[in-house]
Amino acid sequence: MQISSKEDYFKAWQEASENPENFWSKVASEYQWKKPWESVQSGNFTDVNIKWFDGATLNITENCLDRHLQERPDKTAVIWEPNGVDEKEITYTYKELHAEVCRFANVLKDQGIRKGDRVVFYMSMVPELLTGVLACARLGAVHSVVFAGFSAQALAGRIKDCEAKMVITCDESYRGAKTTPLKEITDEALKDCGSIEKVLIRVRTGASVPMKEGRDIELLPLLKEASPHCDAVEVAAEDPLFILYTSGSTGTPKGLLHTTGGYMVWAGFTFENVFQMQDDDIYWCTADIGWITGHSYITYGPLLKGATTVMFEGVPTYPEADRFWQVVDKYKVTHFYTAPTAIRALEACDIELVKRHDLSSLKVLGSVGEPINDEAWQWYHKEIGKENCPIVDTWWQTETGGIMISSLAGVTESISTYATYPLPGVIPQLLDSEANVIDDKSGEGNLCISKPWPGMARTIWGNHERYKETYFSAYKGKYFTGDGSKRDESGRYRITGRVDDVINVSGHRIGTAEVEDALNEHHHVIESAVVGFPHDIKGQGIYAYVICNNGKAPTSEEEQENFKKELNAVITKIIGPIAKPDQVQFVSGLPKTRSGKIMRRILRKIAAKDISNLGDISTLLNPEVVEEIKKGAGL
Ligand code: PRX
């Protein structure tokens, strides 16, 4: 169902709100189901037992692939652009992609993977990451992609949590000028993971890697031998499709579980309406499949809609900081979807790097992952879009499965820094500090969603109580997003950022508690507190306040630098380099309330170098420490 005017958008939103059964059964009927549903939606946010299209059966890959074989077998489905400019791209038509996915599914089957088994992918952006997740879906196996920047320990934690049977990795990855030894990291992780029976290795760099007899097998030779036919396994709409781990404000990462039918309908519907593609358009989302954006808007959304999707292995700055623009020019990309952090980083480079490429193919620009500041928005609009391309600022989360609030390209207006309107089916509410719904048209508060939508995660793998507690306990009967938002007189939303202890570093979501736990593993650290602070390129940076054991605090600048290196090594080992602090301040204490709670608000202000309105600190357990911390921060 493509919405093509603003009037239609309002009508669709109204209908989806008032008569969701009718609306979603119309949208869902565009897909192939093996058995129809008995009910469109059931369950509620009080019992937290949401189901969509219950009773129906399907296979999502038939909708991504087989369905297109009649109408567009020779249309390019995927263009894979390698890391290096000298290497040739690989393209797959829908027919070829179908065959590749079937081959991969046959390999998985031969290696013992069956419906319901969990398969972890720890790969860089090679084509087999995309075909591999689809191959799992073809068999009804559950994929869980772990971003290839995570450490062995982080990988092991995820493998153990979902009790995966198989890991698929590369020998090494290419990313810019760097290679990362993914197989070596996997081996390290697997020392401690009993559930893994097989490891498939996709050779990418050709590095020599140890192979464990009976466990490790090279992937490409198996694919070559495999049959390109594989029947799609029939699964229930509510059967698991994938698990994706993400950070929260407390505890270990959560494995959000997405199920099949509702996710499919949501990914397809949101892709179609937000991006508004024409049949011969070329779409490029620069995310990594290790994150939700790469699941919904490199893989499932575009393929469900028969689009051509570009998949890029490299980084925006390699071999030079014009790579994005060079690739847009090379493939005549029409729809370009990236993160504000990339925009800011490229904005800081010489404008000649943009000007040397022809960007006239572009029609629509997108932004995702964090709030986009006005300056970056204007630069994107002017220098990349040449003031001709609507910008869709898409707000959503790993938990939501797909875009929730965004303009629809060329259909509803784009406004700098505003995600603008909720998609049909999304009923946002703003709540004030007393948990009252803000009824006025405009306002500011905590952002909740009051009704179920098809793409929402159904649970946290293995821990439904935690799911309920995390998302549905702050405001009874509502899904709490963890974000704050403003709303203007016209009902348009402007997301202001997280209101919980989650920070968004270069669009990567990092729980402060996770970083603290990792820092505390250092044998000379007694306690730490981690907060976000404004960062010109990353959006938010990580600021760590660290208390050392008696007599172990580094004093000279050199000692401090060495200690910081050790802390970075601990973080890299436990989480991965993405969680390394940008700033570390050694302190003798942390401001605490009399009940022992760390006053993060004060720490956030000091990290932001803003010491106005620190509030009444006299009631703290240790008010004197605030002065010391201010001084240590140079304030
Ligand atoms: O704070 C919001 C921010 O990213 C969080 C979700 O992160 P993650 O689950 O990793 O998914 C990122 C990709 C969808 C949100 O809670 N966020 C995401 N998109 C936007 C955003 N903040 C403002 N504007 C956006 N467009």
Side-chain angles (χ1 to χ4, degrees):
M1 181 197 287
Q2 193 159 358
I3 298 166
S4 45
S5 68
K6 190 165 172 183
E7 202 189 344
D8 280 355
Y9 157 72
F10 283 116
K11 263 201 225 143
W13 190 84
Q14 201 73 25
E15 192 192 339
S17 308
E18 285 166 6
N19 195 347
E21 305 259 321
N22 204 32
F23 184 84
W24 291 111
S25 61
K26 260 193 299 192
V27 176
S29 62
E30 294 169 14
Y31 297 92
Q32 280 179 5
W33 303 80
K34 290 182 191 274
K35 258 195 235 138
W37 48 89
E38 282 151 22
S39 73
V40 174
Q41 193 261 315
S42 63
N44 57 57
F45 284 171
T46 308
D47 298 330
V48 194
N49 53 351
I50 307 302
K51 289 186 174 152
W52 283 87
F53 310 109
D54 202 24
T57 61
L58 73 157
N59 186 288
I60 193 169
T61 68
E62 287 190 333
N63 287 283
C64 291
L65 302 168
D66 306 57
R67 197 160 57 103
H68 303 307
L69 293 185
Q70 288 295 324
E71 223 177 290
R72 47 179 81 82
D74 300 318
K75 176 170 175 176
T76 302
V78 177
I79 304 173
W80 179 74
E81 170 72 8
N83 178 60
V85 272
D86 299 330
E87 198 178 339
K88 197 163 161 37
E89 73 274 9
I90 300 176
T91 61
Y92 300 89
T93 62
Y94 271 92
K95 204 161 100 199
E96 289 164 343
L97 188 67
H98 179 270
E100 279 305 309
V101 170
C102 287
R103 281 198 185 92
F104 208 141
N106 283 324
V107 167
L108 295 178
K109 225 173 3 178
D110 286 350
Q111 299 302 324
I113 296 301
R114 298 286 177 270
K115 179 169 184 267
D117 289 343
R118 273 81 61 207
V119 176
V120 164
F121 289 81
Y122 184 64
M123 297 178 104
S124 49
M125 286 283 282
V126 290
E128 290 72 19
L129 176 54
L130 183 141
T131 53
V133 299
L134 293 169
C136 283
R138 187 111 186 138
L139 300 179
V142 184
H143 56 79
S144 185
V145 184
V146 177
F147 175 63
F150 281 115
S151 69
Q153 208 165 314
L155 172 62
R158 287 154 173 81
I159 291 172
K160 281 192 277 194
D161 185 76
C162 71
E163 296 172 289
K165 217 165 147 181
M166 175 184 275
V167 184
I168 307 181
T169 188
C170 298
D171 52 351
E172 294 183 320
S173 67
Y174 285 129
R175 257 174 82 77
K178 250 183 35 194
T179 55
T180 306
L182 297 184
K183 172 64 163 59
E184 191 184 309
I185 299 171
T186 304
D187 284 341
E188 176 66 30
L190 293 188
K191 282 183 183 158
D192 189 24
C193 298
S195 60
I196 294 294
E197 294 171 9
K198 288 272 154 56
V199 179
L200 302 186
I201 298 105
R202 195 288 192 193
V203 170
R204 176 67 183 112
T205 67
S208 112
V209 292
M211 299 288 275
K212 187 168 168 183
E213 183 86 44
R215 186 195 72 177
D216 299 353
I217 316 165
E218 267 193 39
L219 174 64
L220 295 180
L222 297 183
L223 286 175
K224 220 166 152 196
E225 294 296 307
S227 153
H229 304 285
C230 178
D231 286 343
V233 170
E234 180 170 354
V235 307
E238 282 298 336
D239 275 341
L241 176 64
F242 65 86
I243 301 168
L244 190 57
Y245 287 85
T246 189
S247 298
S249 48
T250 55
T252 50
K254 304 170 284 212
L256 270 315
L257 178 75
H258 284 279
T259 58
T260 310
Y263 174 82
M264 172 180 81
V265 169
W266 192 242
F269 176 79
T270 53
F271 176 79
E272 178 175 18
N273 285 296
V274 169
F275 293 102
Q276 300 280 325
M277 292 192 47
Q278 309 291 316
D279 204 32
D280 47 4
D281 284 344
I282 309 282
Y283 165 89
W284 180 19
C285 166
T286 69
D288 190 292
I289 296 180
W291 310 111
I292 190 71
T293 308
H295 282 61
S296 303
Y297 300 112
I298 294 178
T299 312
Y300 290 108
L303 298 176
L304 284 164
K305 290 291 147 189
T308 301
T309 174
V310 177
M311 175 179 182
F312 176 43
E313 185 185 33
V315 296
T317 48
Y318 180 81
E320 279 189 83
D322 65 343
R323 190 65 189 276
F324 276 2
W325 322 129
Q326 181 246 330
V327 174
V328 166
D329 192 357
K330 179 174 176 188
Y331 299 116
K332 303 295 166 212
V333 169
T334 55
H335 290 64
F336 179 72
Y337 189 30
T338 196
T341 186
I343 299 168
R344 287 189 296 264
L346 298 174
E347 180 189 351
C349 302
D350 187 350
I351 191 68
E352 283 312 309
L353 292 167
V354 176
K355 295 208 161 133
R356 58 162 90 138
H357 300 286
D358 176 7
L359 304 183
S360 61
S361 57
L362 287 171
K363 296 185 193 171
V364 173
L365 301 175
S367 171
V368 59
E370 48 171 322
I372 179 164
N373 50 308
D374 181 58
E375 194 191 334
W377 195 98
Q378 298 298 351
W379 184 84
Y380 199 29
H381 181 54
K382 182 161 173 265
E383 303 296 347
I384 307 304
K386 316 293 178 197
E387 299 184 350
N388 280 326
C389 302
I391 296 179
V392 290
D393 175 359
T394 63
W395 174 83
W396 59 295
Q397 310 177 299
T398 304
E399 292 84 346
T400 69
I403 297 168
M404 299 290 278
I405 303 183
S406 172
S407 55
L408 311 182
V411 171
T412 62
E413 67 278 14
S414 307
I415 316 171
S416 171
T417 74
Y418 276 77
T420 73
Y421 298 107
L423 270 282
V426 176
I427 307 180
Q429 286 183 331
L430 297 180
L431 281 97
D432 67 17
S433 53
E434 266 91 55
N436 301 309
V437 175
I438 300 170
D439 279 329
D440 300 342
K441 273 196 160 163
S442 62
E444 178 167 7
N446 286 348
L447 178 64
C448 289
I449 311 293
S450 64
K451 292 262 174 66
W453 65 99
M456 63 182 290
R458 302 292 193 262
T459 190
I460 291 174
W461 180 262
N463 199 345
H464 196 61
E465 276 313 304
R466 186 175 177 200
Y467 177 69
K468 284 186 177 169
E469 172 65 29
T470 309
Y471 303 107
F472 301 93
S473 68
Y475 303 104
K476 268 243 140 332
K478 298 179 200 307
Y479 167 80
F480 176 43
T481 64
D483 280 309
S485 180
K486 291 182 179 167
R487 183 173 57 219
D488 73 5
E489 281 292 321
S490 308
R492 296 175 297 211
Y493 288 83
R494 175 184 184 166
I495 310 298
T496 49
R498 300 290 304 197
V499 295
D500 56 5
D501 292 322
V502 168
I503 45 188
N504 210 321
V505 183
S506 301
H508 301 324
R509 200 165 137 176
I510 294 174
T512 53
E514 249 181 284
V515 184
E516 289 164 6
D517 288 349
L519 290 170
N520 298 349
E521 290 288 306
H522 188 288
H523 53 292
H524 289 158
V525 173
I526 322 182
E527 196 181 2
S528 59
V530 166
V531 296
F533 72 101
H535 188 288
D536 282 351
I537 302 287
K538 299 179 176 183
Q540 280 190 297
I542 301 178
Y543 198 114
Y545 297 91
V546 174
I547 308 178
C548 296
N549 287 333
N550 231 345
K552 295 292 180 191
T555 43
S556 70
E557 218 165 272
E558 191 188 340
E559 274 175 20
Q560 292 206 1
E561 282 315 306
N562 287 338
F563 201 129
K564 283 180 195 171
K565 279 190 195 138
E566 286 179 28
L567 292 176
N568 278 343
V570 172
I571 297 282
T572 303
K573 177 163 177 276
I574 299 179
I575 307 176
I578 53 173
K580 282 196 292 200
D582 299 276
Q583 299 276 350
V584 176
Q585 185 179 342
F586 297 99
V587 296
S588 69
L590 294 165
K592 289 192 177 165
T593 61
R594 288 184 190 274
S595 61
K597 202 169 148 252
I598 298 174
M599 289 294 287
R600 287 168 191 280
R601 196 180 51 79
I602 294 177
L603 296 176
R604 271 189 221 112
K605 292 207 91 164
I606 295 176
K609 307 252 180 271
D610 167 17
I611 45 171
S612 60
N613 300 323
L614 279 188
D616 181 11
I617 56 173
S618 65
T619 57
L620 293 180
L621 192 64
N622 49 353
E624 69 292 343
V625 86
V626 176
E627 270 317 305
E628 178 212 303
I629 296 177
K630 269 163 54 183
K631 229 161 112 200
L635 299 169

